[in-house]
Coordinates of all heavy atoms in Angstrom, one line a residue:
G653 N 12.8 -9.3 -5.1 CA 13.7 -8.2 -5.5 C 14.2 -7.4 -4.4 O 13.8 -7.6 -3.2
G654 N 15.1 -6.5 -4.7 CA 15.6 -5.5 -3.7 C 15.2 -4.1 -4.0 O 14.0 -3.8 -3.7
I655 N 16.0 -3.4 -4.7 CA 15.6 -2.0 -5.0 C 14.5 -2.0 -6.0 O 13.5 -1.3 -5.9 CB 16.9 -1.2 -5.6 CG1 17.9 -1.1 -4.5 CG2 16.4 0.1 -6.2 CD1 19.2 -0.5 -5.0
V656 N 14.6 -2.9 -7.0 CA 13.5 -3.1 -7.9 C 12.7 -4.3 -7.5 O 13.3 -5.4 -7.5 CB 14.0 -3.2 -9.4 CG1 12.9 -3.5 -10.3 CG2 14.8 -2.0 -9.8
Q657 N 11.4 -4.1 -7.2 CA 10.6 -5.3 -6.8 C 9.6 -5.6 -7.9 O 9.1 -4.7 -8.6 CB 9.9 -5.0 -5.5 CG 10.9 -4.8 -4.3 CD 10.1 -4.7 -3.0 OE1 9.1 -4.1 -2.9 NE2 10.8 -5.2 -2.0
F658 N 9.3 -6.9 -8.0 CA 8.3 -7.4 -8.9 C 7.6 -8.6 -8.3 O 8.1 -9.2 -7.4 CB 8.9 -7.6 -10.3 CG 10.0 -8.6 -10.3 CD1 9.9 -9.9 -10.6 CD2 11.3 -8.1 -10.0 CE1 10.9 -10.8 -10.6 CE2 12.4 -9.0 -10.0 CZ 12.2 -10.3 -10.3
E659 N 6.5 -9.0 -8.9 CA 5.8 -10.2 -8.5 C 6.1 -11.4 -9.4 O 6.1 -11.2 -10.6 CB 4.3 -10.0 -8.4 CG 3.9 -9.0 -7.4 CD 2.4 -8.7 -7.5 OE1 1.8 -8.9 -8.5 OE2 1.9 -8.2 -6.5
V660 N 6.3 -12.5 -8.8 CA 6.4 -13.8 -9.6 C 5.3 -14.7 -9.1 O 4.9 -14.6 -7.9 CB 7.8 -14.4 -9.5 CG1 8.9 -13.6 -10.2 CG2 8.2 -14.8 -8.1
R661 N 4.9 -15.6 -10.0 CA 3.9 -16.5 -9.6 C 4.3 -17.9 -9.9 O 4.9 -18.2 -11.0 CB 2.6 -16.2 -10.4 CG 1.4 -17.1 -10.0 CD 0.2 -16.8 -10.8 NE -0.3 -15.5 -10.3 CZ -1.5 -15.1 -10.4 NH1 -2.4 -15.9 -10.9 NH2 -1.9 -13.9 -10.0
V662 N 4.1 -18.9 -9.0 CA 4.4 -20.3 -9.2 C 3.1 -21.1 -9.0 O 2.4 -20.9 -8.0 CB 5.5 -20.7 -8.2 CG1 5.7 -22.2 -8.3 CG2 6.8 -19.9 -8.4
R663 N 2.8 -21.9 -9.9 CA 1.6 -22.8 -9.8 C 2.1 -24.0 -8.9 O 3.1 -24.6 -9.2 CB 1.2 -23.3 -11.2 CG -0.1 -24.0 -11.1 CD -0.5 -24.3 -12.6 NE -1.8 -25.1 -12.5 CZ -2.8 -24.8 -13.2 NH1 -2.8 -23.7 -14.0 NH2 -3.9 -25.5 -13.2
L664 N 1.3 -24.3 -7.9 CA 1.6 -25.4 -7.0 C 1.3 -26.7 -7.7 O 0.3 -26.9 -8.4 CB 0.8 -25.3 -5.7 CG 1.3 -24.4 -4.6 CD1 1.4 -22.9 -5.0 CD2 0.5 -24.5 -3.4
N665 N 2.3 -27.6 -7.5 CA 2.0 -29.0 -8.0 C 1.2 -29.8 -7.0 O 0.8 -29.2 -6.0 CB 3.4 -29.7 -8.3 CG 4.2 -29.9 -7.1 OD1 3.8 -30.0 -6.0 ND2 5.5 -29.9 -7.3
A666 N 0.9 -31.0 -7.3 CA 0.0 -31.8 -6.5 C 0.5 -31.9 -5.1 O -0.2 -31.8 -4.1 CB -0.3 -33.1 -7.1
E667 N 1.8 -32.2 -4.9 CA 2.4 -32.4 -3.6 C 2.3 -31.1 -2.8 O 2.0 -31.1 -1.6 CB 3.8 -32.9 -3.8 CG 4.6 -33.1 -2.5 CD 6.0 -33.6 -2.7 OE1 6.2 -34.4 -3.6 OE2 6.9 -33.1 -2.0
E668 N 2.6 -30.0 -3.5 CA 2.6 -28.7 -2.8 C 1.2 -28.3 -2.4 O 1.0 -27.7 -1.3 CB 3.2 -27.6 -3.7 CG 4.7 -27.8 -3.9 CD 5.2 -27.1 -5.1 OE1 4.5 -26.6 -6.0 OE2 6.5 -27.0 -5.2
T669 N 0.2 -28.6 -3.3 CA -1.2 -28.3 -2.9 C -1.6 -29.1 -1.7 O -2.2 -28.6 -0.8 CB -2.1 -28.6 -4.1 OG1 -1.7 -27.8 -5.2 CG2 -3.5 -28.4 -3.8
E670 N -1.2 -30.3 -1.6 CA -1.5 -31.2 -0.5 C -0.9 -30.6 0.8 O -1.5 -30.6 1.8 CB -1.1 -32.6 -0.7 CG -1.4 -33.6 0.4 CD -1.0 -35.0 0.0 OE1 -1.3 -35.5 -1.0 OE2 -0.2 -35.5 0.9
S671 N 0.4 -30.2 0.7 CA 1.1 -29.6 1.8 C 0.4 -28.3 2.3 O 0.3 -28.1 3.5 CB 2.5 -29.3 1.5 OG 3.2 -30.5 1.3
F672 N 0.0 -27.5 1.3 CA -0.7 -26.3 1.7 C -2.1 -26.6 2.4 O -2.4 -26.0 3.4 CB -1.0 -25.4 0.5 CG -1.9 -24.2 0.9 CD1 -1.3 -23.1 1.5 CD2 -3.2 -24.1 0.5 CE1 -2.1 -22.0 1.9 CE2 -4.0 -23.0 0.8 CZ -3.4 -22.0 1.5
Q673 N -2.8 -27.6 1.9 CA -4.1 -28.0 2.5 C -3.8 -28.5 3.9 O -4.7 -28.3 4.8 CB -4.8 -29.0 1.7 CG -5.3 -28.3 0.4 CD -5.8 -29.3 -0.6 OE1 -5.6 -30.5 -0.6 NE2 -6.6 -28.8 -1.6
R674 N -2.7 -29.2 4.1 CA -2.4 -29.8 5.4 C -1.9 -28.8 6.4 O -2.2 -28.8 7.6 CB -1.5 -31.0 5.2 CG -1.3 -31.9 6.4 CD -0.4 -33.1 6.1 NE 0.9 -32.8 5.5 CZ 1.2 -33.0 4.3 NH1 0.4 -33.6 3.5 NH2 2.4 -32.7 3.8
E675 N -0.9 -28.0 6.0 CA -0.2 -27.1 6.9 C -0.6 -25.6 6.8 O -0.2 -24.9 7.7 CB 1.3 -27.2 6.5 CG 1.9 -28.5 6.7 CD 3.4 -28.5 6.3 OE1 4.1 -27.7 6.8 OE2 3.8 -29.4 5.4

Side-chain angles (χ1 to χ4, degrees):
I655 294 171
V656 177
Q657 294 187 328
F658 55 96
E659 295 176 338
V660 295
R661 184 178 289 208
V662 174
R663 189 174 178 129
L664 275 62
N665 62 29
E667 181 180 318
E668 293 161 344
T669 297
E670 183 179 304
S671 293
F672 175 74
Q673 291 170 341
R674 190 175 53 251
E675 299 177 52

